[in-house]
Amino acid sequence: MKHKVLYVLVLASLILAACGGAPANAPSVVHVGWAGSPDTLNPGLAILTEAYTIFELVYDSMYDLNLDGSFSLSLAESVERSEDGLVYTYKIKDGIKWHDGKPLTAEDIAFSYNLYKDTPEYPYLNGYYTPYFSSVEAVGNEVILTLTEAIPNIESQLVFLYILPKHIWENENKIEFENTAMIGSGPFKMAEYVQNEFVRLAANKEHFATPPKVAEVIFQTFENQDALVQAIKTGQMDMITEMPSTAVASLKTAENVEVVVGAPFAPGVSDIIFNQTEEENCPTPEEGGICTGHPALRDRNVRLAMSHATDKQKLIDVVLLGLGAPGLTLIPNGLGVWYNNSLKDYEFDVAKANQILDDAGYLDTDGDKIRELPDGSRPLTFRLNWPSDSITAPRMAELLSEMWGAIGISLEMQAVDPDALTSQCCPAFDFDIMLWGWASDPDPSALLYVYTSEAVPTGSSETGYSNPAYDDLYAKQQTELDFEARKAIVWEMQKIVHDDVVYIIPYYEQATQAYRTDRFTGWIVNQAKVELSDTSSLVFIEPIK
Amino acid sequence: MNSSEPKQQWLIRLQSFWQTFSKNRIGLVGLAMLALLILMAIFAPLIAPYTSSSSAEFQVGDIYNPPSASHWFGTDDAGQDIFSNFVFGARISLIVGFFAAFISIIIGGVLGLVAGFLGGRWENLLMRFTDTMLVIPDLPLMVVIIALTKPSLLNIIFVIGLLGWTTTARVVRSQTLAVKSRKFVLRARAVGAGNAHIISRHILPLVMPILVVQAVLVVSLAILNESALSFLGLGDPTVLSWGQMLNYAFGRGAMSIGAWWALFFPGFGIVWVVLGLTLLGQGLEQVLNPRLDTHHLMPGRPTVRKDRVEAQTKFTKETVLEVQNLSINYINEGKPPARAVENVSFTLNAGELIGLVGESGCGKTTLMLSLLRLLPSAGQIVDGRVFFNGEDLTTISDEELNKIRWKEISIVFQGAMNALNPVRTVGDQIAEAITRHMPDFPKDKIQARVIELLDLVGIAADHREHFPHQYSGGMRQRAMIAMALACNPQVIIADEPTTALDVMIQAQILELLDSLRKKLGLAIIFVTHDLGVVAEICDKVLVMYGGVTAEYAEVDTIYNEPRHPYTQELIKAFPDLTKPKKKLTSIPGYPPRLDNLPVGCRFAPRCPAVFARCHTEQPILHNLGNSHIASCHLVEASK
Amino acid sequence: MNRTRALLKKIAWSAFTVLFVIILNFFLFRILPGDPARAGIRDPRLKKEAVEMLRVRFGLDKPVINCFESLNPIKVGSCAVNPLDTQFFIYTRNLFQGELGISYHTNRPVADILAERLWNTVLLIGAGQILSIIIGVVFGIFAAWKARTSVDYSAVIASLLVWSLPTFWLAILLLFWGSNNGLPLAGKSTPGSSSLPLIQQWVDIARHMLLPTLTYTIVYMGEYTLIMRSSLMDVLSEDYILTAKAKGLSTFQILKDHALKNAMLPLVTVIAINLGFTVAGAIQIEAVFSWPGLGGAIVEALGRRDFPVLQGAFLLIAVTVIFANLLADLTYSYLDPRVKVD
């Protein structure tokens, strides 16, 4: 009996499996698989990159961010900067239309910028990109943007400020508006959206600059990345935006699938954070300072020795299966010109590391294979914490424990809930070493800020590092309008923090994406950064006949 | 001396427990599975070919290697040996399972004991609390709590332990309640023993077995919970449990690579330990809390003799039922058969009422059930025949027999409360008999017939819509009789229809049966242990003792010339036949156990006239003429 | 006898349990560590003002309850504040208006998110439950009827085996199998299928449901088999079954007319109690198959520390289970004429 029932079930499954497979992919519908889903379609509130991916496709903004890291004007045909660098005048192109047919004007742009500027509830767009905005006005077909300070990076300040239709947004509650209809002006129109299931976009064939050649793009959410890999192998997906590193090797050999590896669109940094807060820099109790860091970590020698004892290539091999580049500072190689590629990393040399510690007086006096402070009061036993939702950190911790064990440093390892870790971290400085990471902005300023003394009490600094010389340079690059001069300063800053061994940056993670070669042609894969779900690829690809 | 005694008792109890348990195959398999795993966990460092979690020798080419000679279970996403991790993972699962279960069992045990023991307001309060906790879904709650606290092994153990006690509390409470009202507890209390003493000495030992079974189940649930939490990413990331291994494998591409080994083995480990525990629990349950795994629909054992013969005696019109040399054994695995009924014969004529008399356990009910082959599955007709209107009921097919059941021979069971289906109305159950056996009976007349039958036994028509529990005891018995009459049978077997009823009702029922017999010409077999009842209404009496015929004769003969000492003792116990209320208690001793029958005469141990031969030789049935039969050596001597 | 009163008592008790869950649910999230304001956005670059803005937006600037500013760490506050202006009362008041707060992560009302997800879970649990009950009951009947035969033993062993399967593991294995046999790997439907004819949409959903439902069915049918078996064994050893047999009814008639209803009664209670456990199954199954249900919402919210969603989902599940239990209780007393609701 039992067998019969099971047989029936199996039979039913075979019938269902047989009748159709995936509904035959229409020739010009691109199926993109990803492991996420936009958190919200309200650009002001969105945090996840998936949301920004959709915004990039559905909205336009003043500038486009190219895959080589450069910017190009998009909605405006020209821009003029005033002598003092405070006033920008954008001349908006004619004939641009919203998806609902209404014309896009300078009014809309000014409305959008003012919306971001005046809505403090928008955590990112307001906080990061509008602090220098003094006023925004629309005059005829021109947008006049006045700043409070001359800044060198107006492009990166505007690139994520998507232009929203005034006629829709002015009537909505800016915070509660879910924006599911998502009227934009970009190369794709929102067709259907089910959160956590899929986003279906239809081509905007009337786009002023880059009308897509395909009819539709469907982003489908897979909660596990493995299913994603399987889906592209079987042809259910035409492109996937991510995959577990373990799958790369097998996918490379799969038929009709091409794997692309490179710096991600928003380059990521993985960091080993040392709490080096000096007592005088400790945030006040009102600010939340606790500062329980191990004193040895305030000594550059110790950090330097640990740096020499860290085999970054091995970390990359084990944790990322080779899909990463060894790191130097918080400025990742994916930032292109801003990345100081002249720096030379501390070589992996355990003997040298031991020598440094011996010379600095950290000796193992009690014979337990763990060194003590020069005064013998405390062993070099550090707490090592990482966010418990990280799947790579435990592997990294385990390796570090082995590597640093070789130089007489022991670790107490503990995964901590991300929130608890945040409150332990900054500005409390209630830890010794942490494993965490950053995603970068196209402009280096945001990550450079993390090293400043000013950031210590605000919670942005993770290390408590404080160096007046660095602080001066930071202020300087903030207002240096000359590109080359600013670049030189940024490079110099990287050299300082590298010399001071503020962090150990084990690696910059690489993006791995894959597309099917038998469905669409024209994917952009030869650029510094890899982002197949970017407008650059999706408006360019066309079905293979 | 004083302290060693209970110790020895423990030992003896343990030994006897092991004796039964070692015969329980399910339990043994479970224990073996569990033991193997525990050994593996203890000796993990010796068994595992690689130290756990070492990535020192890592090469990119090592990831997800299939099982091979050097990696029996293959390698995982970090190139580690899955077999080694599997071996060490057993430790985590067992630690979490046992410690969490320990917490649950302590909490549940204490709450259950206290609630059951104290009773009243406390019990109410504690059980309400337990019920509340029971309905709160525990995995989501665990997820929430662990998400909010640190995911360390200790936290996981506590959370699983603190949320897993509810069923234990309920089980322990009901067992405590059951034990609390037992005689020895009441006695101890009467003697003035304190609560602590009563709990520790009297209640705990009896609650313990249940607690052990419960503990085994709780351990397995805890292990399942831990693996689920780990899989959801809430496990302790510093220890590699099986759930964690699956989390890594699932999250890091095992499926797309086709690395089934990374997905299979850790899960296999979980199944192994949980299944082992479950089987062990099942086995323990069977040993500590044995239940007869039998029911009425299990196929009976076939009659030993298969040949069908026509009745040899000429069947007169009056003789409806003739039982010849009927013998019935109960067969138990691994034990010699119990001879429940041996060589019993009697004849029943139309309109006759035969009394079947004997103490409880003398084989009356077995004999009665065997007539319609309704014996429990262990019972087997090993010899003899039952002729009904010339047909041998012991050998006809089930279909043929089903046509005779109730239609020709119906039964009034003892204790009609249980003999009637509680969820169907009485009228419905009577009607069922009619529709089953009289398919031609006009549908629209069935209700009228039911009313008529109820009326016959003195039950008002509107009661037919009622359920058995709405009837009084006497009404139920009468309803049962009405049901027995539904198809106008030739024979009714009434199995102690009057026990458990009060005297007035008893008399009513007897009168009813007797009047029906006269009115409808029924033949009745009346089973009873009450000789007084027999005297009033029976034509013949069959006295049974220990499964054999003691004496069989006309009712007058039995009363006036009893030849068997057992009959004589029965009658002596009832000097005054007008007082049927008196019970058969005055013969010292008890009937023999069927699995431990005396070698000689079965009555010998209690017989006032016993002599040497009685202990060595079983008396045969002596025909004393005029259908008077007795089985006693004394009869032979006097013949 | 006093049916209405007993009924009211049961309902009152369920209401009390719901209240308990509401209070537990509220304080759980305030006693345990983790700053809810930081939880949503884990970015230390967030300015103080922005964090403060978030606190106001999610109502976290208000005292938890009279006399306590916060519970972790315990910060004593004024007892004189208007109780209606404390987090607890706002939370309770919103609950009664059907509001469960705003998701930190998606910025949408939690009630909307859960409502979307609930039906998918109901669909999955419903299909799985019905199948596993049917199969379990059928197997249980056969096992009990053929007690102590090889049919019985294999049914029992098989049931214990499937009971021992970790749900998520079975799901993974089936996904593994399905991925090699052309079955969809994730979600509830193929995107874009909403433009197809209705029949095709159903087939599409059925194809997506197949593996999750199969997992569900396998995992739970063992338990139902065992319960049905033992319940039926109990019933079949009752005297009235012997009566039925003596009445000359066939085995089939006895099972159908005398045993089944009685044996199914305990199942009603078990199914209701099981609902709580089936949710646990749903969480695991939905996580593996990316099924957009409540369980999936819990897993996602977990990953993002989206406490309002977690809180809302937990409340919804708990209340549903309590309600189901009440319903089972009432059904039971309706079905079984013996039960005098006490």
PDB file of all heavy atoms in Angstrom, chain A residues 2 13 16 21 45 120 124 175 192 195-196 223 417, chain C residues 43 106-108 117 139 194 207 210 290 300 305:
ATOM      1  N   LYS A   2       1.747   1.227   0.943  1.00  0.00           N
ATOM      2  CA  LYS A   2       2.650   2.367   1.077  1.00  0.00           C
ATOM      3  C   LYS A   2       3.362   2.634  -0.246  1.00  0.00           C
ATOM      4  O   LYS A   2       3.479   3.747  -0.701  1.00  0.00           O
ATOM      5  CB  LYS A   2       3.656   2.074   2.172  1.00  0.00           C
ATOM      6  CG  LYS A   2       4.519   3.276   2.479  1.00  0.00           C
ATOM      7  CD  LYS A   2       5.583   2.941   3.458  1.00  0.00           C
ATOM      8  CE  LYS A   2       6.610   4.065   3.377  1.00  0.00           C
ATOM      9  NZ  LYS A   2       6.776   4.767   4.558  1.00  0.00           N
ATOM     10  N   SER A  13       4.838  13.661  -9.723  1.00  0.00           N
ATOM     11  CA  SER A  13       5.944  14.597  -9.864  1.00  0.00           C
ATOM     12  C   SER A  13       6.549  14.508 -11.248  1.00  0.00           C
ATOM     13  O   SER A  13       6.944  15.496 -11.837  1.00  0.00           O
ATOM     14  CB  SER A  13       6.999  14.329  -8.799  1.00  0.00           C
ATOM     15  OG  SER A  13       7.678  13.139  -9.104  1.00  0.00           O
ATOM     16  N   LEU A  16       4.340  16.369 -13.637  1.00  0.00           N
ATOM     17  CA  LEU A  16       4.520  17.809 -13.518  1.00  0.00           C
ATOM     18  C   LEU A  16       5.871  18.217 -14.084  1.00  0.00           C
ATOM     19  O   LEU A  16       6.002  19.254 -14.719  1.00  0.00           O
ATOM     20  CB  LEU A  16       4.411  18.217 -12.054  1.00  0.00           C
ATOM     21  CG  LEU A  16       2.983  18.203 -11.511  1.00  0.00           C
ATOM     22  CD1 LEU A  16       2.984  18.435 -10.018  1.00  0.00           C
ATOM     23  CD2 LEU A  16       2.141  19.251 -12.203  1.00  0.00           C
ATOM     24  N   GLY A  21       8.623  21.896 -18.095  1.00  0.00           N
ATOM     25  CA  GLY A  21       9.831  22.505 -17.541  1.00  0.00           C
ATOM     26  C   GLY A  21       9.455  23.930 -17.196  1.00  0.00           C
ATOM     27  O   GLY A  21       8.290  24.218 -16.948  1.00  0.00           O
ATOM     28  N   LEU A  45      14.699  55.396   1.434  1.00  0.00           N
ATOM     29  CA  LEU A  45      14.818  54.499   2.575  1.00  0.00           C
ATOM     30  C   LEU A  45      15.614  53.248   2.266  1.00  0.00           C
ATOM     31  O   LEU A  45      15.966  52.489   3.156  1.00  0.00           O
ATOM     32  CB  LEU A  45      13.420  54.086   3.053  1.00  0.00           C
ATOM     33  CG  LEU A  45      12.564  55.242   3.567  1.00  0.00           C
ATOM     34  CD1 LEU A  45      11.116  54.815   3.673  1.00  0.00           C
ATOM     35  CD2 LEU A  45      13.079  55.732   4.907  1.00  0.00           C
ATOM     36  N   PRO A 120      15.248  64.236   6.716  1.00  0.00           N
ATOM     37  CA  PRO A 120      16.308  63.610   7.511  1.00  0.00           C
ATOM     38  C   PRO A 120      16.037  62.136   7.794  1.00  0.00           C
ATOM     39  O   PRO A 120      16.944  61.415   8.183  1.00  0.00           O
ATOM     40  CB  PRO A 120      16.306  64.432   8.805  1.00  0.00           C
ATOM     41  CG  PRO A 120      14.993  65.104   8.850  1.00  0.00           C
ATOM     42  CD  PRO A 120      14.536  65.289   7.442  1.00  0.00           C
ATOM     43  N   TYR A 124      20.519  57.315   4.237  1.00  0.00           N
ATOM     44  CA  TYR A 124      21.728  57.446   3.424  1.00  0.00           C
ATOM     45  C   TYR A 124      21.723  58.679   2.542  1.00  0.00           C
ATOM     46  O   TYR A 124      22.627  59.493   2.585  1.00  0.00           O
ATOM     47  CB  TYR A 124      21.915  56.209   2.536  1.00  0.00           C
ATOM     48  CG  TYR A 124      22.410  55.039   3.315  1.00  0.00           C
ATOM     49  CD1 TYR A 124      21.554  54.031   3.693  1.00  0.00           C
ATOM     50  CD2 TYR A 124      23.750  54.968   3.689  1.00  0.00           C
ATOM     51  CE1 TYR A 124      22.015  52.960   4.426  1.00  0.00           C
ATOM     52  CE2 TYR A 124      24.216  53.905   4.427  1.00  0.00           C
ATOM     53  CZ  TYR A 124      23.345  52.895   4.790  1.00  0.00           C
ATOM     54  OH  TYR A 124      23.803  51.860   5.513  1.00  0.00           O
ATOM     55  N   ILE A 175       7.790  59.192   3.699  1.00  0.00           N
ATOM     56  CA  ILE A 175       8.371  58.083   4.445  1.00  0.00           C
ATOM     57  C   ILE A 175       7.565  56.804   4.276  1.00  0.00           C
ATOM     58  O   ILE A 175       8.098  55.717   4.162  1.00  0.00           O
ATOM     59  CB  ILE A 175       8.474  58.456   5.931  1.00  0.00           C
ATOM     60  CG1 ILE A 175       9.343  59.701   6.055  1.00  0.00           C
ATOM     61  CG2 ILE A 175       9.064  57.333   6.738  1.00  0.00           C
ATOM     62  CD1 ILE A 175       9.022  60.523   7.248  1.00  0.00           C
ATOM     63  N   GLU A 192       5.944  44.402 -12.758  1.00  0.00           N
ATOM     64  CA  GLU A 192       5.292  43.600 -11.727  1.00  0.00           C
ATOM     65  C   GLU A 192       6.304  43.367 -10.615  1.00  0.00           C
ATOM     66  O   GLU A 192       7.479  43.128 -10.888  1.00  0.00           O
ATOM     67  CB  GLU A 192       4.856  42.251 -12.320  1.00  0.00           C
ATOM     68  CG  GLU A 192       3.883  41.480 -11.455  1.00  0.00           C
ATOM     69  CD  GLU A 192       3.551  40.121 -12.081  1.00  0.00           C
ATOM     70  OE1 GLU A 192       4.074  39.818 -13.164  1.00  0.00           O
ATOM     71  OE2 GLU A 192       2.791  39.381 -11.458  1.00  0.00           O
ATOM     72  N   GLN A 195       7.471  41.302  -3.552  1.00  0.00           N
ATOM     73  CA  GLN A 195       8.653  41.350  -2.709  1.00  0.00           C
ATOM     74  C   GLN A 195       9.106  39.940  -2.337  1.00  0.00           C
ATOM     75  O   GLN A 195       8.311  39.063  -2.059  1.00  0.00           O
ATOM     76  CB  GLN A 195       8.372  42.131  -1.425  1.00  0.00           C
ATOM     77  CG  GLN A 195       9.667  42.333  -0.650  1.00  0.00           C
ATOM     78  CD  GLN A 195       9.513  43.337   0.462  1.00  0.00           C
ATOM     79  OE1 GLN A 195       8.468  43.413   1.083  1.00  0.00           O
ATOM     80  NE2 GLN A 195      10.557  44.108   0.701  1.00  0.00           N
ATOM     81  N   ASN A 196      10.408  39.752  -2.380  1.00  0.00           N
ATOM     82  CA  ASN A 196      11.039  38.474  -2.058  1.00  0.00           C
ATOM     83  C   ASN A 196      10.735  37.378  -3.064  1.00  0.00           C
ATOM     84  O   ASN A 196      11.107  36.237  -2.856  1.00  0.00           O
ATOM     85  CB  ASN A 196      10.651  37.978  -0.674  1.00  0.00           C
ATOM     86  CG  ASN A 196      11.213  38.864   0.387  1.00  0.00           C
ATOM     87  OD1 ASN A 196      12.426  39.055   0.441  1.00  0.00           O
ATOM     88  ND2 ASN A 196      10.361  39.436   1.202  1.00  0.00           N
ATOM     89  N   GLU A 223      16.437  32.059  -2.297  1.00  0.00           N
ATOM     90  CA  GLU A 223      16.930  32.275  -0.958  1.00  0.00           C
ATOM     91  C   GLU A 223      18.244  31.561  -0.716  1.00  0.00           C
ATOM     92  O   GLU A 223      18.973  31.873   0.191  1.00  0.00           O
ATOM     93  CB  GLU A 223      15.903  31.858   0.082  1.00  0.00           C
ATOM     94  CG  GLU A 223      15.298  33.083   0.739  1.00  0.00           C
ATOM     95  CD  GLU A 223      13.910  32.813   1.249  1.00  0.00           C
ATOM     96  OE1 GLU A 223      13.800  32.044   2.188  1.00  0.00           O
ATOM     97  OE2 GLU A 223      12.955  33.362   0.671  1.00  0.00           O
ATOM     98  N   ASP A 417      26.257  38.265  17.903  1.00  0.00           N
ATOM     99  CA  ASP A 417      25.166  38.802  17.116  1.00  0.00           C
ATOM    100  C   ASP A 417      25.544  40.175  16.559  1.00  0.00           C
ATOM    101  O   ASP A 417      26.135  40.986  17.267  1.00  0.00           O
ATOM    102  CB  ASP A 417      23.951  38.931  18.024  1.00  0.00           C
ATOM    103  CG  ASP A 417      22.798  39.552  17.306  1.00  0.00           C
ATOM    104  OD1 ASP A 417      22.083  38.806  16.646  1.00  0.00           O
ATOM    105  OD2 ASP A 417      22.658  40.790  17.381  1.00  0.00           O
TER     106      ASP A 417
ATOM    107  N   ASP C  43      24.921  50.171  10.197  1.00  0.00           N
ATOM    108  CA  ASP C  43      26.029  50.918   9.654  1.00  0.00           C
ATOM    109  C   ASP C  43      26.494  51.954  10.653  1.00  0.00           C
ATOM    110  O   ASP C  43      25.773  52.894  10.967  1.00  0.00           O
ATOM    111  CB  ASP C  43      25.578  51.606   8.362  1.00  0.00           C
ATOM    112  CG  ASP C  43      26.754  52.126   7.598  1.00  0.00           C
ATOM    113  OD1 ASP C  43      27.763  52.475   8.234  1.00  0.00           O
ATOM    114  OD2 ASP C  43      26.665  52.176   6.362  1.00  0.00           O
ATOM    115  N   THR C 106      12.046  46.696   5.414  1.00  0.00           N
ATOM    116  CA  THR C 106      11.368  47.040   4.162  1.00  0.00           C
ATOM    117  C   THR C 106      10.547  48.297   4.296  1.00  0.00           C
ATOM    118  O   THR C 106       9.976  48.770   3.326  1.00  0.00           O
ATOM    119  CB  THR C 106      10.415  45.920   3.725  1.00  0.00           C
ATOM    120  OG1 THR C 106       9.391  45.827   4.711  1.00  0.00           O
ATOM    121  CG2 THR C 106      11.137  44.614   3.615  1.00  0.00           C
ATOM    122  N   ASN C 107      10.443  48.809   5.525  1.00  0.00           N
ATOM    123  CA  ASN C 107       9.732  50.050   5.702  1.00  0.00           C
ATOM    124  C   ASN C 107       8.245  49.913   5.401  1.00  0.00           C
ATOM    125  O   ASN C 107       7.565  50.878   5.130  1.00  0.00           O
ATOM    126  CB  ASN C 107      10.336  51.112   4.781  1.00  0.00           C
ATOM    127  CG  ASN C 107       9.944  52.495   5.220  1.00  0.00           C
ATOM    128  OD1 ASN C 107      10.078  52.823   6.392  1.00  0.00           O
ATOM    129  ND2 ASN C 107       9.431  53.275   4.299  1.00  0.00           N
ATOM    130  N   ARG C 108       7.763  48.697   5.392  1.00  0.00           N
ATOM    131  CA  ARG C 108       6.332  48.505   5.128  1.00  0.00           C
ATOM    132  C   ARG C 108       5.656  48.059   6.412  1.00  0.00           C
ATOM    133  O   ARG C 108       6.315  47.508   7.292  1.00  0.00           O
ATOM    134  CB  ARG C 108       6.132  47.434   4.056  1.00  0.00           C
ATOM    135  CG  ARG C 108       6.734  47.796   2.733  1.00  0.00           C
ATOM    136  CD  ARG C 108       6.584  46.627   1.775  1.00  0.00           C
ATOM    137  NE  ARG C 108       5.200  46.193   1.663  1.00  0.00           N
ATOM    138  CZ  ARG C 108       4.850  44.962   1.298  1.00  0.00           C
ATOM    139  NH1 ARG C 108       5.766  44.055   1.058  1.00  0.00           N
ATOM    140  NH2 ARG C 108       3.576  44.640   1.199  1.00  0.00           N
ATOM    141  N   ARG C 117       2.372  36.889   3.150  1.00  0.00           N
ATOM    142  CA  ARG C 117       3.079  35.636   3.331  1.00  0.00           C
ATOM    143  C   ARG C 117       2.191  34.536   3.887  1.00  0.00           C
ATOM    144  O   ARG C 117       2.402  33.356   3.622  1.00  0.00           O
ATOM    145  CB  ARG C 117       4.253  35.845   4.302  1.00  0.00           C
ATOM    146  CG  ARG C 117       5.292  36.812   3.796  1.00  0.00           C
ATOM    147  CD  ARG C 117       5.873  36.277   2.520  1.00  0.00           C
ATOM    148  NE  ARG C 117       7.133  36.910   2.174  1.00  0.00           N
ATOM    149  CZ  ARG C 117       8.312  36.404   2.496  1.00  0.00           C
ATOM    150  NH1 ARG C 117       8.403  35.304   3.188  1.00  0.00           N
ATOM    151  NH2 ARG C 117       9.404  37.002   2.117  1.00  0.00           N
ATOM    152  N   PHE C 139      -2.294   4.492   6.374  1.00  0.00           N
ATOM    153  CA  PHE C 139      -1.252   3.582   6.870  1.00  0.00           C
ATOM    154  C   PHE C 139      -1.577   3.110   8.274  1.00  0.00           C
ATOM    155  O   PHE C 139      -1.398   1.947   8.612  1.00  0.00           O
ATOM    156  CB  PHE C 139       0.115   4.275   6.864  1.00  0.00           C
ATOM    157  CG  PHE C 139       0.739   4.382   5.508  1.00  0.00           C
ATOM    158  CD1 PHE C 139       0.033   4.011   4.383  1.00  0.00           C
ATOM    159  CD2 PHE C 139       2.036   4.842   5.358  1.00  0.00           C
ATOM    160  CE1 PHE C 139       0.597   4.106   3.120  1.00  0.00           C
ATOM    161  CE2 PHE C 139       2.610   4.934   4.104  1.00  0.00           C
ATOM    162  CZ  PHE C 139       1.881   4.579   2.982  1.00  0.00           C
ATOM    163  N   SER C 194       1.831  35.263 -14.347  1.00  0.00           N
ATOM    164  CA  SER C 194       0.508  35.826 -14.068  1.00  0.00           C
ATOM    165  C   SER C 194      -0.213  36.233 -15.344  1.00  0.00           C
ATOM    166  O   SER C 194      -1.398  36.485 -15.329  1.00  0.00           O
ATOM    167  CB  SER C 194       0.632  37.022 -13.133  1.00  0.00           C
ATOM    168  OG  SER C 194       1.548  37.944 -13.666  1.00  0.00           O
ATOM    169  N   ARG C 207       3.651  22.778  -9.656  1.00  0.00           N
ATOM    170  CA  ARG C 207       5.023  22.311  -9.867  1.00  0.00           C
ATOM    171  C   ARG C 207       5.959  22.872  -8.800  1.00  0.00           C
ATOM    172  O   ARG C 207       6.852  22.200  -8.313  1.00  0.00           O
ATOM    173  CB  ARG C 207       5.526  22.744 -11.249  1.00  0.00           C
ATOM    174  CG  ARG C 207       5.016  21.866 -12.384  1.00  0.00           C
ATOM    175  CD  ARG C 207       5.282  22.513 -13.740  1.00  0.00           C
ATOM    176  NE  ARG C 207       6.569  23.194 -13.792  1.00  0.00           N
ATOM    177  CZ  ARG C 207       7.725  22.611 -14.064  1.00  0.00           C
ATOM    178  NH1 ARG C 207       7.751  21.343 -14.340  1.00  0.00           N
ATOM    179  NH2 ARG C 207       8.841  23.285 -14.074  1.00  0.00           N
ATOM    180  N   LEU C 210       5.327  21.097  -5.405  1.00  0.00           N
ATOM    181  CA  LEU C 210       5.473  19.649  -5.329  1.00  0.00           C
ATOM    182  C   LEU C 210       6.481  19.211  -4.279  1.00  0.00           C
ATOM    183  O   LEU C 210       6.163  18.455  -3.365  1.00  0.00           O
ATOM    184  CB  LEU C 210       5.883  19.121  -6.706  1.00  0.00           C
ATOM    185  CG  LEU C 210       5.897  17.604  -6.750  1.00  0.00           C
ATOM    186  CD1 LEU C 210       4.485  17.079  -6.877  1.00  0.00           C
ATOM    187  CD2 LEU C 210       6.747  17.114  -7.889  1.00  0.00           C
ATOM    188  N   SER C 290      13.006  28.362  -0.716  1.00  0.00           N
ATOM    189  CA  SER C 290      12.720  29.776  -0.965  1.00  0.00           C
ATOM    190  C   SER C 290      11.222  30.006  -1.139  1.00  0.00           C
ATOM    191  O   SER C 290      10.800  30.757  -1.994  1.00  0.00           O
ATOM    192  CB  SER C 290      13.424  30.269  -2.236  1.00  0.00           C
ATOM    193  OG  SER C 290      14.774  29.967  -2.194  1.00  0.00           O
ATOM    194  N   GLU C 300      14.280  35.379   6.959  1.00  0.00           N
ATOM    195  CA  GLU C 300      14.821  36.632   6.435  1.00  0.00           C
ATOM    196  C   GLU C 300      14.939  37.684   7.525  1.00  0.00           C
ATOM    197  O   GLU C 300      15.967  38.346   7.670  1.00  0.00           O
ATOM    198  CB  GLU C 300      13.909  37.194   5.347  1.00  0.00           C
ATOM    199  CG  GLU C 300      14.129  36.574   4.005  1.00  0.00           C
ATOM    200  CD  GLU C 300      12.929  36.820   3.117  1.00  0.00           C
ATOM    201  OE1 GLU C 300      12.323  37.908   3.208  1.00  0.00           O
ATOM    202  OE2 GLU C 300      12.582  35.916   2.348  1.00  0.00           O
ATOM    203  N   ARG C 305      17.759  41.006  11.366  1.00  0.00           N
ATOM    204  CA  ARG C 305      17.358  41.494  12.687  1.00  0.00           C
ATOM    205  C   ARG C 305      16.194  42.472  12.561  1.00  0.00           C
ATOM    206  O   ARG C 305      16.170  43.538  13.151  1.00  0.00           O
ATOM    207  CB  ARG C 305      18.536  42.181  13.385  1.00  0.00           C
ATOM    208  CG  ARG C 305      19.710  41.263  13.632  1.00  0.00           C
ATOM    209  CD  ARG C 305      19.267  40.084  14.490  1.00  0.00           C
ATOM    210  NE  ARG C 305      20.376  39.242  14.883  1.00  0.00           N
ATOM    211  CZ  ARG C 305      20.790  38.157  14.245  1.00  0.00           C
ATOM    212  NH1 ARG C 305      20.175  37.768  13.143  1.00  0.00           N
ATOM    213  NH2 ARG C 305      21.781  37.443  14.694  1.00  0.00           N
TER     214      ARG C 305
END
